[in-house]
């Protein structure tokens, strides 16, 4: 069976705690209210995003925001749709 998880490769770099905070702020400031409840966690090389949104578009948008604002090696998208 297919997993709901998606792993996306990005450019390798270091990620600090202030960058995790920046990601959370960017999601909370997003136009779509569903993105405001997305949780961000991770370490220097890996970010995990979790929560629930109404559509696959919003799931991908949250992932795009993370990839756009960080230089981590991987992002695991555990956001549920529905």
């Amino acid at each position: 069976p297919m997993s709901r998880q998606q792993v996306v490769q990005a450019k390798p770099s270091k990620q600090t705690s202030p960058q995790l905070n920046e990601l959370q702020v960017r999601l909370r400031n997003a136009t779509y209210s569903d993105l405001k409840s997305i949780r961000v966690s991770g370490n220097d090389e890996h970010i995990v995003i979790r929560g629930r949104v109404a559509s696959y578009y919003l799931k991908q948008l949250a992932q795009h925001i993370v990839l756009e604002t960080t230089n981590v090696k991987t992002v695991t998208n555990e956001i549920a749709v529905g």
Side-chain angles (χ1 to χ4, degrees), residues 5-63:
Q5 223 176 77
Q6 293 179 338
V7 176
V8 178
Q9 297 293 327
K11 296 178 185 176
S13 183
K14 290 285 184 178
Q15 169 102 3
T16 61
S17 187
Q19 288 175 321
L20 286 174
N21 292 336
E22 177 188 349
L23 284 173
Q24 197 69 61
V25 167
R26 287 180 182 254
L27 288 166
R28 285 186 183 147
N29 290 336
T31 304
Y32 298 95
S33 61
D34 276 5
L35 299 184
K36 297 176 191 314
S37 64
I38 300 301
R39 297 176 311 281
V40 179
S41 61
N43 59 38
D44 289 348
E45 298 180 346
H46 183 78
I47 297 293
V48 179
I49 52 178
R50 294 181 175 98
R52 181 172 296 279
V53 294
S55 69
Y56 285 99
Y57 170 75
L58 292 176
K59 178 176 179 167
Q60 291 301 312
L61 183 58
Q63 181 173 301

